[in-house]
Amino acid sequence: MIVTLTPNPCVDKTLYLETLRLGEKHRGLRASAVAGGKGCNVSRALKSLGYETRALVIVGGPTGRHVVQMIEEEDRVPCTPIWVQGMTRTITTILEASVHRQTPLFEDGPAVNPAEKSAVLAAFRQAVQGARVVTLNGAVTSPETLTDLYAQCIPIAREAGAKVILDSYGPEFAAGLAARPNVIKPNLEEAAALMGRSLYGVSARRDALRYFLDQGVDAVVLSMGAEGLLFADGIRSWQITPPVINEVNPVGSGDALVAGLAIGLAEDWEWDRSLRFGIGAGAANAMTWDIGHFEVGEVKRLGARMVIRDF
């Protein structure tokens, strides 16, 4: 079992237009919606990869009920909702078919009070019993009360015998890092913000890998966008180039990577196998519009085309 925690999920809605003309009324060609948020994407990818998962989400209001419904009924993933008084956000993405351009519009998530935070931690403690891996995903919804949420969740997961992947940014990532998760997956921008320095160039990126390993994590996966990613675990350091694909929609590809890494941790795979599986899942995700829906066979074929070299 792999448990995902999403503190700030959303109704992730896409409105399809031929062309967006500012200041004018538009009638969409069609619309679609999924349960959004990084952890929801990870659970959806895990389901496609044939692995048992449970999604924990902090939700509120009618939009929160819609998120839970989509997770349970459409994604067929068991869900543990933690209800708060505020309203779960909606993200609306305008997709212009004529130029295949996406314009996402983000709402803020609900505030979470101290009593609701206590309920989140209680639900988390119960959900991680028996889990092999826990993934902590994305930004928190209420920084004034939840900045240390991941820092508090990590020791709870460890006590339950679960390994932890932290994929976040900002103050909650810094606080979570201090609690020593097993694996972290920042991108260059997020890592640079935490370190307070540019990560342009090979030397700076090697320094970043060493910096994160010195914080006590077992492994670092540093995403570099189109350049691929860097990996280090204190024994080896690799630069990984993903396969060339016909990209349709990159949204959720980093989360599919996390899903593959989580399976590798759960099954005690060697790192090269875990990375191939994760990279393959990310590539397969990017080749289709639907987030987290792909075939395991395609994942393995794409992962086999990944190139690893020492860094």
Side-chain angles (χ1 to χ4, degrees):
M1 166 71 80
I2 296 172
V3 172
T4 67
L5 173 63
T6 309
N8 197 13
C10 65
V11 175
D12 192 349
K13 184 176 181 180
T14 300
L15 180 64
Y16 299 79
L17 303 176
E18 187 62 32
T19 303
L20 177 63
R21 299 176 299 277
L22 297 181
E24 297 185 21
K25 290 183 178 180
H26 296 77
R27 185 175 297 276
L29 302 174
R30 64 187 180 94
S32 63
V34 298
K38 294 178 70 62
C40 296
N41 295 340
V42 173
S43 276
R44 190 181 301 110
L46 287 166
K47 186 72 174 181
S48 290
L49 293 168
Y51 214 87
E52 186 180 4
T53 181
R54 174 170 290 275
L56 273 70
V57 289
I58 300 175
V59 285
T63 45
R65 290 193 291 274
H66 190 194
V67 165
V68 173
Q69 179 186 24
M70 288 189 288
I71 292 171
E72 293 183 335
E73 297 181 10
E74 297 179 16
D75 299 327
R76 299 190 181 279
V77 169
C79 180
T80 297
I82 304 100
W83 295 99
V84 297
Q85 294 180 4
M87 182 83 72
T88 293
R89 64 187 176 139
T90 295
I91 293 177
T92 302
T93 299
I94 308 299
L95 176 62
E96 297 173 81
S98 59
V99 292
H100 199 73
R101 179 171 58 194
Q102 298 182 48
T103 303
L105 307 172
F106 287 76
E107 298 177 7
D108 288 334
V112 175
N113 63 43
E116 291 167 338
K117 178 185 177 182
S118 295
V120 172
L121 291 170
F124 181 82
R125 185 181 299 277
Q126 181 175 357
V128 299
Q129 300 305 312
R132 291 188 173 187
V133 176
V134 174
T135 71
L136 307 174
N137 312 275
V140 299
T141 176
S142 186
E144 58 275 12
T145 53
L146 296 184
T147 294
D148 64 349
L149 177 65
Y150 293 150
Q152 294 188 42
C153 286
I154 289 168
I156 294 173
R158 285 188 178 277
E159 289 169 8
K163 299 175 183 177
V164 180
I165 299 177
L166 176 62
D167 182 14
S168 185
Y169 50 90
E172 52 266 51
F173 174 55
L177 178 63
R180 300 176 61 182
N182 296 88
V183 181
I184 59 170
K185 194 199 74 65
N187 61 32
L188 282 176
E189 181 181 357
E190 293 158 357
L194 180 66
M195 297 176 66
R197 54 185 286 192
S198 168
L199 294 184
Y200 179 78
V202 171
S203 178
R205 294 174 186 182
R206 284 180 177 150
D207 288 346
L209 295 176
R210 285 193 293 268
Y211 169 84
F212 286 117
L213 289 173
D214 287 345
Q215 307 310 304
V217 302
D218 297 333
V220 183
V221 178
L222 182 60
S223 173
M224 303 187 297
E227 297 181 68
L229 58 86
L230 301 176
F231 166 84
D233 67 350
I235 300 172
R236 72 220 94 191
S237 180
W238 291 329
Q239 182 168 351
I240 298 167
T241 304
V244 177
I245 60 169
N246 293 320
E247 183 178 281
V248 175
N249 181 16
V251 175
S253 291
D255 306 320
L257 167 62
V258 169
L261 296 176
I263 292 174
L265 276 182
E267 298 299 319
D268 294 319
W269 291 349
E270 295 294 330
W271 274 114
D272 60 343
R273 181 181 180 186
S274 296
L275 288 161
R276 286 191 184 280
F277 201 58
I279 288 286
N285 180 84
M287 292 175 66
T288 180
W289 178 257
D290 294 330
I291 299 171
H293 292 289
F294 39 74
E295 298 295 328
V296 175
E298 182 71 5
V299 168
K300 292 179 178 178
R301 285 190 292 272
L302 290 166
R305 291 162 47 194
M306 179 185 89
V307 177
I308 300 179
R309 62 180 182 272
D310 290 334
F311 180 72

